[in-house]
């Protein structure tokens, strides 16, 4: 499975983004046009379970949710869930610095993004519990 941005309650990619947004630093990253192929941890766990239990799973699967969003949309939704207003965007040079110093991750993940769909999972009949980003974030935060 090629795993997208899996969001859970403790740790992972959501934690540092939530911390930034709470400090009014949760603005659009770079151009904001890059996609985030996100999924809720409960859906990811169900994907693994089905892949283990179902003999028809074969090959490579995109373990992402069915509705990727742009970074601009993601950050706006995160701020909405946290009851935060507009915050200034994060220019690319600051993203490079912040990714290395604070998030300990590759900056290109935030600046280029991925727009992946779980077509093979859907063809297998996988049913997502979380289709909507705002609903997923409200459950996790």
């Amino acid at each position: 499975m090629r795993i997208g941005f899996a969001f859970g309650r403790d740790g992972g990619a959501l934690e540092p983004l939530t911390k930034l947004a709470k400090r009014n630093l949760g603005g659009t990253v770079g151009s904001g046009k890059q996609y985030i192929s996100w999924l809720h941890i409960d859906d990811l766990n169900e994907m693994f379970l089905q892949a283990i239990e179902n003999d028809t799973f074969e090959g490579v699967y995109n373990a992402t949710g069915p509705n990727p969003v742009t970074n601009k949309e993601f950050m706006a939704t995160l701020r909405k869930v946290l009851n935060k207003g507009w915050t200034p965007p994060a220019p690319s040079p600051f993203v490079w610095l912040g990714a290395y110093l604070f998030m300990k991750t590759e900056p290109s993940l935030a600046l280029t993004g991925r727009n992946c769909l779980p077509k093979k999972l859907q063809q297998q009949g996988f049913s997502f519990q979380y289709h909507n980003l705002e609903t997923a974030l409200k459950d996790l935060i």
Side-chain angles (χ1 to χ4, degrees):
M1 295 224 184
R2 293 183 190 144
I3 303 171
F5 277 93
F7 296 130
R9 286 178 187 81
D10 300 312
L14 187 57
E15 184 178 358
L17 295 172
T18 300
K19 286 180 181 179
L20 286 172
K22 284 181 178 179
R23 293 182 177 111
N24 296 316
L25 297 172
T28 300
V29 174
S31 71
K33 295 177 184 176
Q34 63 277 30
Y35 273 85
I36 298 174
S37 295
W38 66 274
L39 75 159
H40 191 288
I41 191 71
D42 292 350
D43 284 332
L44 179 59
N45 288 335
E46 185 62 27
M47 288 174 191
F48 285 132
L49 185 61
Q50 286 188 26
I52 291 167
E53 294 178 344
N54 187 335
D55 292 343
T56 64
F57 274 65
E58 189 175 291
V60 178
Y61 288 77
N62 287 330
T64 65
N67 298 309
V69 295
T70 64
N71 174 270
K72 183 176 182 174
E73 183 180 351
F74 175 81
M75 295 309 293
T77 304
L78 179 59
R79 289 191 309 271
K80 180 180 178 185
V81 169
L82 293 171
N83 295 312
K84 295 290 183 179
W86 179 88
T87 57
S92 296
F94 292 121
V95 174
W96 278 90
L97 183 64
Y100 284 121
L101 294 178
F102 303 111
M103 296 183 74
K104 310 290 190 239
T105 190
E106 176 62 38
S108 64
L109 292 174
L111 294 170
T112 59
R114 305 289 181 272
N115 188 0
C116 301
L117 294 171
K119 291 177 185 175
K120 283 180 73 173
L121 282 164
Q122 290 172 314
Q123 290 169 351
Q124 290 284 127
F126 185 84
S127 178
F128 288 88
Q129 184 177 348
Y130 294 93
H131 297 268
N132 178 275
L133 177 62
E134 185 174 346
T135 303
L137 291 175
K138 283 181 179 178
D139 178 67
L140 296 168
I141 297 176

